[in-house]
């Protein structure tokens, strides 16, 4: 994705209040991020561990999504979970159920969309083989990085479509 600024990020949120978008913690190292390797910018709020954010381009428009991570019950060290965007498998704690309030009327009625995502939101790097999941098993070894990136982007866009409706 193209590099974006803190102002771009704050203006992009579609499913939280203007106040939350203004106050939320934006990554400090925006200038140093490997933008060419990112399909979306995702981060956790260091001050509020249950909060996570994702910003991506959808039809050339930046879309920011506020997420709530559910910690859930630990299922033990040996259990594995898979991210629904990049399909990376992680050992316990590497994947979390994250919920996004839907936009518009659906959101006002309390509708949300839940997805299992890498807890560090580094799906773009996992798909490109630039980051390895701790203890994760590589599946789909037959896919090239380009194919994994395309699949991650397709999953990302259907997630955005579900939130925006
Ligand atoms: Zn992922």
């Amino acid at each position: 994705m193209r590099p974006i600024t803190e102002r771009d990020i704050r203006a992009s949120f579609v499913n939280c209040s203007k106040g939350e978008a203004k106050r939320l913690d934006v990554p400090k190292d925006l200038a140093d991020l490997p933008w060419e390797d990112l399909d979306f910018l995702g981060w956790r709020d260091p001050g509020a561990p249950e909060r996570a954010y994702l910003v991506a381009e959808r039809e050339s428009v930046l879309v920011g999504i506020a997420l709530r991570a559910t910690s859930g019950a630990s299922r033990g060290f040996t259990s594995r979970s898979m991210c629904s965007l990049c399909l990376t498998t992680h050992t316990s704690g590497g994947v979390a159920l994250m919920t996004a309030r839907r936009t518009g009327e659906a959101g006002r009625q309390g509708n949300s969309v839940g997805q299992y995502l890498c807890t560090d939101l580094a799906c773009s790097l996992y798909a490109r083989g630039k980051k390895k999941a701790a203890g994760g098993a590589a599946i789909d070894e037959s896919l090239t990085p380009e194919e994994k990136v395309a699949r991650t982007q397709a999953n990302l866009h259907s997630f955005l479509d579900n939130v925006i409706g």
Side-chain angles (χ1 to χ4, degrees):
M1 67 186 288
R2 64 188 166 88
I4 54 176
T5 64
E6 177 176 342
R7 177 189 284 207
D8 296 331
I9 292 170
R10 293 198 191 281
S12 73
F13 281 92
V14 295
N15 72 335
C16 66
S17 69
K18 285 206 162 53
E20 183 179 354
K22 205 170 147 188
R23 286 189 305 271
L24 62 85
D25 258 308
V26 168
K28 303 279 180 276
D29 55 350
L30 290 175
D32 304 323
L33 293 179
W35 293 101
E36 66 279 9
D37 286 332
L38 297 182
D39 304 306
F40 65 91
L41 174 64
W43 73 100
R44 305 294 295 259
D45 186 330
E50 80 285 1
R51 295 187 183 201
Y53 304 101
L54 181 162
V55 178
E57 270 186 81
R58 178 179 182 259
E59 292 160 9
S60 337
V61 177
L62 275 184
V63 174
I65 305 285
L67 299 156
R68 291 289 177 275
T70 10
S71 46
S74 171
R75 293 190 297 152
F77 184 71
T78 52
S79 74
R80 292 178 186 282
S81 311
M82 186 186 286
C83 170
S84 60
L85 289 189
C86 64
L87 306 195
T88 300
T89 53
H90 295 267
T91 47
S92 184
V95 168
L97 177 61
M98 299 205 196
T99 306
R101 189 164 62 87
R102 294 183 65 200
T103 60
E105 188 53 34
R108 281 191 289 277
Q109 289 174 6
N111 286 334
S112 59
V113 180
Q115 291 259 314
Y116 284 92
L117 302 178
C118 296
T119 49
D120 59 4
L121 295 148
C123 303
S124 312
L125 302 180
Y126 292 121
R128 285 164 180 77
K130 305 230 170 183
K131 190 168 184 181
K132 295 266 182 269
I139 56 153
D140 285 327
E141 278 296 303
S142 56
L143 288 190
T144 65
E146 289 73 24
E147 289 167 329
K148 289 186 187 177
V149 168
R151 184 179 59 189
T152 302
Q153 289 177 347
N155 291 336
L156 173 65
H157 284 112
S158 61
F159 175 55
L160 295 179
D161 288 346
N162 283 339
V163 174
I164 294 166

